[in-house]
Amino acid sequence: MGIDVGRAVVVVIGGAGGMSDDAADGLTDVVRDGVLPAVERHGATVIDGGTDSGVMRLIGRARAAAGATFLLVGVAAEGTVTVPGGQAAQDDAAALEPHHTHVILVPGTQWGDESSWIAKVAGAVAGGEPSVTVLVNGGPIAFDDATRSVADGRSLLVVAGSGRAADAIADARTSGGGERNAVTIAASPFTEIVALDDPAAVAAAVSGALERQEAGR
């Protein structure tokens, strides 16, 4: 598919169809000025869910607007998306985000069926090189994605202030309580909390996570 392996990977997970337009508008800066500069600096490949919604739409559009050249790989369950020129497999099928450079369709008909595959693709593309996951907003599926990330030993950067799952995990880190999934993820040594209103700190955290892994090899 023309996807280079053995390179740094940034996995972006979180808000999709359940994220409001207002929430998406508030996340533009952290994607454009936080995530993208770190990705470009490290020549990383970005992997996400590939649909034209939420944070995946934001990163696709931000990449196009910046004229960036990094690979942007969507991983989607085939029954949940509509491919160009094709028919929707089900009523809630989503369009693919058009600025992604690659899309990998994997087996599945339910939202969340792609979660294990995102983790597998990230590991295959990284091939032993550093990788980090960035959680922005997110609903129930994001907890599964985040759990898989820390289980794989991949650093998880949780953007506090971005809403929903991300805020639940950030609150659990502060209070020690809350929803069980949030508490478990917050307690992981691989989890780091960063602030939505400080894109420069987000960029530094992404770079720092990748550089620590490189230095530790």
Side-chain angles (χ1 to χ4, degrees):
M1 293 181 65
I3 300 174
D4 292 337
V5 298
R7 62 191 305 163
V9 167
V10 176
V11 181
V12 178
I13 60 174
M19 188 166 68
S20 69
D21 290 340
D22 287 345
D25 289 343
L27 298 175
T28 300
D29 289 353
V30 77
V31 171
R32 181 191 62 213
D33 302 329
V35 177
L36 259 64
V39 168
E40 288 281 77
R41 175 180 176 182
H42 293 276
T45 293
V46 175
I47 297 172
D48 65 13
T51 60
D52 194 18
S53 59
V55 68
M56 296 164 286
R57 174 184 290 168
L58 289 177
I59 197 161
R61 292 182 177 181
R63 178 187 183 279
T69 59
F70 63 85
L71 297 186
L72 178 53
V73 182
V75 180
E78 57 189 353
T80 63
V81 297
T82 303
V83 299
Q87 292 185 336
Q90 54 197 41
D91 290 342
D92 64 347
L96 294 171
E97 201 287 320
H99 300 104
H100 280 61
T101 60
H102 300 76
V103 174
I104 299 174
L105 297 181
V106 299
T109 59
Q110 304 294 321
W111 295 107
D113 285 348
E114 73 281 1
S115 293
S116 65
W117 290 94
I118 289 174
K120 291 173 184 176
V121 170
V125 173
E129 292 299 311
S131 62
V132 61
T133 298
V134 180
L135 170 60
V136 180
N137 191 273
I141 295 171
F143 285 116
D144 188 25
D145 290 334
T147 298
R148 291 178 187 278
S149 179
V150 297
D152 288 345
R154 182 177 300 114
S155 296
L156 173 69
L157 304 181
V158 177
V159 181
S162 62
R164 302 199 297 161
D167 284 2
I169 295 168
D171 290 345
R173 170 65 66 86
T174 301
S175 68
E179 183 179 343
R180 180 170 58 86
N181 285 340
V183 171
T184 301
I185 295 166
S188 170
F190 294 106
T191 300
E192 180 179 353
I193 310 299
V194 291
L196 172 69
D197 60 2
D198 192 350
V202 172
V206 174
S207 290
L210 295 174
E211 289 165 1
R212 285 193 298 273
Q213 292 174 54
E214 179 66 30
R217 294 199 309 160

